[in-house]
């Protein structure tokens, strides 16, 4: 009996152990979200909100169904259609979409009408301290070049402040090719990488500790050239150096000599290029988008030679870059409803109160009012429906340029269903290749900017500095850029009774003249967003 008792005592834990082992094996199946790769930002039961259902389900279903069983429209451009028939079916259906912009009667024209020349004597050194993200700082750099020319001064390579949101400490030399920058502008202004020893005291720390006579902190937004001549030039002449901070948006876009405007264009479109390793990684991503067979090849010399050979024997594919800025800051500041239910509304309201203490103008309006005025950023689902309505189908190669999407993969899933060939930095490059940019928001943004400039089509889901900078740069190069009609889309998405055909017709008609057609800059508008006529010439 003793032996039997011991035997039962032994078998019971064995059965329990077997059950526990079975549960361990089934656990990933029962709760897959707990075992998803963290790199995909997959939501789990511990997320701050539950993934929303598609807000525009009828339109989404119609878009998916339309892509499964497309009814080929009658060709509008028969010769192009016949040519497209020789290609894969997806390209044939999208032939009109991929056509490059025709010559619009404008060409890039950033050179001064007069021969550039340096002053016989520099009035002193100009320092600027630039806050904001990559593209806000980029505009500040170009403005600093212009102010330096106005004052006949010498520019010290601008200091880039650490962004409190992105926490990136990358310097000018980490992002831009400084030698190229200096060389391109060498006939226009003098530039130094750092102050000479006699002015080595003029640092950010020096200005942070007390009021200093050499710091200019009263520059008004969009200050005139005369303001700088009256307020900064005397400081330069007295002390030999002037540090301007803050400096973002501190130079007017109007009533400046054409030579100064052209110099801003030259700085933006010619002098500012990214450092070699950003360009090399960017070229690799572009090649992998155009030639998917080389997707997993590295950046070493042998692979680059193989890539060059592959490029010669394969027809390059076309791709769209979608800049999707839908981070928590933008979602909260917009005060719009994004379909995540009460939990999401509460989370965004708390965040809005914490960051802006309730000082958000949009909070005064209802979601319907904001959407009808085009003041809500497009969600991944909505930008996907826009692209689908414009004619892009599941064969479209889409590069997603974004930092971090609020809601992670749950928010992106509708877009991915519409465009399963969607790629991003992580899917195209290995972790080893991305090591040089990992965790550095400015370098990641620079990489997205570079890929965007090499895409066939660029579209942004919401206005912002990245959108504005790329729209201007691509206009300068006469590249196709789709600018969403935010007010129209807001009204369409509010109308729940629209059929897919009605939605598609309204979208197509509302975007006929929003695909890169040149817009002449109006007073107070940015020269970096609307480069004509300041940076462009007729003919």
């Amino acid at each position: 009996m003793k032996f039997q008792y011991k035997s039962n005592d032994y078998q019971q834990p064995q059965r329990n152990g077997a059950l526990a082992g079975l549960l361990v094996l089934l656990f990933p199946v029962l709760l897959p979200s707990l075992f998803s790769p963290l790199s995909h930002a997959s939501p789990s039961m511990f997320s701050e909100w539950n993934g929303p259902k598609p807000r525009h389900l009828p339109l989404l279903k119609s878009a998916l169904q339309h892509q499964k069983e497309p009814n080929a429209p009658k060709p509008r451009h028969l010769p192009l259609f016949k040519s497209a028939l020789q290609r894969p079916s997806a390209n044939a259906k999208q032939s009109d979409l991929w056509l490059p912009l025709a010559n619009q009667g404008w060409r890039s024209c950033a050179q001064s009408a007069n021969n550039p020349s340096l002053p016989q004597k520099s009035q002193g050194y100009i320092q600027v301290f630039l806050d904001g993200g990559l593209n806000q700082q980029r505009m500040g750099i170009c403005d600093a070049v212009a102010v330096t020319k106005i004052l006949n001064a010498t520019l010290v390579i601008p200091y880039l402040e650490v962004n409190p949101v992105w926490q990136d400490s990358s310097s000018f030399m980490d992002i831009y090719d400084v030698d190229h920058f200096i060389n391109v502008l060498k006939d226009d202004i003098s530039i130094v990488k750092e102050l000479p020893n006699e002015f080595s005291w003029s640092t950010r720390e020096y200005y942070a500790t007390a009021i200093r006579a050499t710091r200019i902190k009263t520059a008004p937004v969009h200050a005139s050239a005369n303001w700088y001549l009256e307020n900064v030039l005397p400081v330069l002449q007295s002390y030999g150096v002037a540090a301007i901070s803050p400096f973002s948006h501190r130079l007017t876009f109007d009533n400046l000599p054409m030579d100064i405007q052209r110099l801003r264009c030259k700085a933006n479109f010619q002098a500012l290029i990214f450092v070699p390793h950003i360009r090399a990684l960017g070229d690799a991503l572009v090649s992998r988008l155009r030639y998917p067979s080389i997707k997993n090849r590295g950046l070493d010399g042998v692979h680059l030679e193989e890539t060059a050979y592959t490029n010669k024997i394969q027809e390059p594919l076309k791709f769209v870059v979608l800049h999707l800025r839908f981070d928590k800051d933008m979602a909260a500041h917009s005060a719009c409803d994004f379909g995540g239910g009460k939990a999401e509304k509460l989370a965004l309201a708390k965040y809005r109160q914490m960051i802006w203490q309730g000082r958000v103008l949009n909070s005064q309006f209802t979601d319907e009012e904001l959407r009808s005025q085009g003041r809500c950023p497009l969600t991944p689902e909505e930008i996907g429906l826009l692209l689908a309505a414009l004619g892009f189908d599941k064969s479209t190669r889409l590069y997603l340029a974004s930092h971090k999407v609020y809601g992670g993969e749950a928010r992106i899933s509708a877009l991915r269903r519409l465009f399963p060939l969607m790629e991003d930095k992580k899917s195209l490059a290995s972790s080893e290749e991305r090591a040089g940019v990992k965790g550095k928001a400015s370098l990641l943004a620079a990489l997205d900017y570079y890929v965007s400039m090499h895409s066939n089509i660029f579209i942004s889901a919401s206005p912002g500095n990245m959108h504005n900078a790329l729209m201007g740069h691509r206009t300068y190069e006469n590249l196709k850029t789709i600018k969403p009609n935010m007010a129209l889309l807001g009204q369409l998405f509010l109308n729940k009774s629209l059929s897919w055909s009605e939605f598609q017709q309204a979208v197509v008609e509302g975007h006929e003249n929003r695909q890169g057609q040149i817009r002449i800059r109006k007073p107070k508008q940015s020269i970096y967003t609307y480069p004509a006529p300041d940076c462009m010439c007729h003919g």
Side-chain angles (χ1 to χ4, degrees):
M1 290 296 295
K2 241 180 183 178
F3 178 81
Q4 185 64 38
Y5 174 77
K6 286 182 179 178
S7 176
N8 288 342
D9 203 28
Y10 174 75
Q11 290 173 1
Q12 184 65 28
Q14 200 171 33
R15 284 195 296 269
N16 291 342
L19 285 172
L22 182 61
L23 283 173
V24 168
L25 291 173
L26 290 176
F27 204 48
V29 178
L30 297 173
L31 293 171
S33 61
L34 293 180
F35 295 84
S36 300
L38 292 177
S39 61
H40 292 292
S42 301
S44 73
M45 65 173 62
F46 306 113
S47 301
E48 81 177 289
W49 61 282
N50 294 322
K53 295 179 180 179
R55 295 194 69 204
H56 310 286
L57 194 57
L59 289 175
L60 180 60
K61 287 181 176 178
S62 296
L64 290 168
Q65 186 64 31
H66 179 77
Q67 292 187 351
K68 289 177 183 176
E69 301 174 1
N71 295 317
K74 294 181 180 179
R76 295 177 61 193
H77 309 283
L78 192 57
L80 289 173
F81 182 75
K82 287 182 177 179
S83 298
L85 287 176
Q86 308 303 316
R87 304 179 182 178
S89 59
N91 285 341
K93 289 182 289 184
Q94 298 178 16
S95 59
D96 286 348
L97 286 170
W98 296 110
L99 284 175
L101 288 175
N103 188 324
Q104 301 186 64
W106 292 84
R107 59 182 173 83
S108 56
C109 191
Q111 295 297 331
S112 171
N114 303 315
N115 291 327
S117 61
L118 296 174
Q120 291 184 348
K121 179 184 177 183
S122 172
Q123 297 292 335
Y125 295 94
I126 289 289
Q127 287 178 289
V128 295
F129 299 85
L130 302 173
D131 53 16
L134 175 78
N135 295 292
Q136 182 174 319
Q137 290 172 340
R138 183 186 183 102
M139 298 171 201
I141 292 166
C142 301
D143 286 349
V145 168
V147 167
T148 301
K149 184 69 173 180
I150 291 169
L151 298 175
N152 285 330
T154 298
L155 177 66
V156 183
I157 289 296
Y159 181 92
L160 308 184
E161 298 278 9
V162 176
N163 188 291
V165 176
W166 308 123
Q167 291 296 313
D168 185 356
S169 59
S170 298
S171 69
F172 183 104
M173 296 184 193
D174 293 328
I175 302 170
Y176 298 106
D177 188 328
V178 65
D179 292 325
H180 178 86
F181 180 74
I182 293 173
N183 185 60
V184 169
L185 299 172
K186 69 180 188 298
D187 295 327
D188 300 283
I189 61 170
S190 295
I191 305 174
V192 295
K193 295 180 182 179
E194 57 185 24
L195 285 167
N197 289 336
E198 61 185 296
F199 296 109
S200 60
W201 48 266
S202 183
T203 63
R204 183 184 184 279
E205 292 71 25
Y206 173 76
Y207 295 110
T209 55
I211 297 174
R212 309 293 187 181
T214 52
R215 180 185 172 185
I216 310 296
K217 60 179 181 179
T218 58
V221 173
H222 298 154
S224 67
N226 283 338
W227 188 93
Y228 285 96
L229 291 169
E230 293 169 2
N231 295 275
V232 181
L233 184 57
V235 175
L236 281 176
Q237 293 170 335
S238 298
Y239 300 96
V241 62
I244 311 173
S245 176
F247 187 69
S248 297
H249 310 295
R250 290 312 197 269
L251 181 62
T252 182
F253 291 115
D254 304 312
N255 302 316
L256 288 175
M258 181 55 71
D259 286 352
I260 297 297
Q261 298 287 64
R262 290 277 173 85
L263 183 58
R264 293 166 105 174
C265 306
K266 186 176 181 180
N268 190 35
F269 302 127
Q270 296 179 17
L272 285 176
I273 66 171
F274 298 119
V275 289
H277 78 90
I278 292 291
R279 302 201 306 269
L281 183 52
D283 285 335
L285 300 189
V286 171
S287 289
R288 292 165 192 176
L289 285 162
R290 295 202 183 282
Y291 306 95
S293 62
I294 64 171
K295 180 176 176 180
N296 296 319
R297 298 183 182 180
L299 296 177
D300 58 85
V302 174
H303 285 145
L304 288 176
E305 288 181 10
E306 291 177 0
T307 298
Y309 176 74
T310 304
N311 292 359
K312 288 180 181 178
I313 62 175
Q314 289 185 5
E315 184 72 20
L317 300 179
K318 297 177 174 64
F319 70 96
V320 179
V321 167
L322 166 60
H323 175 240
L324 181 60
R325 187 185 171 191
F326 195 76
D327 53 44
K328 191 170 184 177
D329 270 34
M330 173 165 280
H333 193 269
S334 72
C336 299
D337 178 8
F338 298 107
K342 292 182 179 179
E344 182 182 86
K345 286 182 181 179
L346 181 60
L348 291 178
K350 285 183 177 178
Y351 187 78
R352 188 160 51 243
Q353 181 63 33
M354 179 180 68
I355 300 297
W356 297 285
Q357 291 78 47
R359 298 190 299 272
V360 176
L361 180 63
N362 282 7
S363 298
Q364 304 173 22
F365 302 95
T366 66
D367 181 70
E368 288 75 15
E369 290 171 331
L370 292 171
R371 289 189 177 278
S372 64
Q373 296 169 26
R375 294 166 70 173
C376 292
L378 297 177
T379 66
E381 174 197 350
E382 289 167 344
I383 195 70
L385 291 169
L386 166 62
L387 289 169
L390 288 171
F392 296 101
D393 65 13
K394 285 189 172 184
S395 69
T396 300
R397 297 191 63 75
L398 193 67
Y399 176 85
L400 186 62
S402 67
H403 179 66
K404 185 177 181 181
V405 174
Y406 178 57
E409 188 62 30
R411 184 72 80 180
I412 299 175
S413 60
L415 176 63
R416 195 180 299 281
R417 288 179 65 196
L418 286 168
F419 299 99
L421 298 183
M422 186 168 68
E423 305 273 13
D424 58 18
K425 294 178 284 290
K426 289 185 178 180
S427 67
L428 289 172
S430 68
S431 57
E432 291 80 9
E433 291 171 328
R434 290 183 280 109
V437 299
K438 184 178 180 181
K440 299 175 181 178
S442 292
L443 295 183
L444 291 167
L447 184 59
D448 281 339
Y449 190 107
Y450 187 87
V451 175
S452 298
M453 282 303 300
H454 288 77
S455 66
N456 299 89
I457 298 171
F458 174 80
I459 183 169
S460 181
S462 59
N465 289 326
M466 182 82 157
H467 164 90
N468 293 339
L470 277 164
M471 190 173 83
H473 203 158
R474 289 177 65 88
T475 297
Y476 182 78
E477 301 287 351
N478 198 43
L479 300 173
K480 183 171 283 190
T481 305
I482 298 174
K483 183 180 180 182
N485 188 331
M486 302 296 284
L488 170 66
L489 291 169
Q491 293 165 20
L492 292 177
F493 286 128
L494 284 172
N495 188 343
K496 303 302 181 184
S497 64
L498 279 179
S499 66
W500 175 251
S501 60
E502 291 170 330
F503 175 77
Q504 186 174 38
Q505 181 180 354
V507 166
V508 170
E509 291 177 355
H511 290 82
E512 284 179 347
N513 296 314
R514 303 178 71 89
Q515 301 188 26
Q517 289 83 356
I518 289 177
R519 301 281 188 269
I520 302 300
R521 186 179 71 84
K522 298 177 182 178
K524 298 184 179 181
Q525 286 184 332
S526 170
I527 194 174
Y528 308 119
T529 307
Y530 300 97
D534 306 88
C535 307
M536 307 182 77
C537 303
H538 278 291

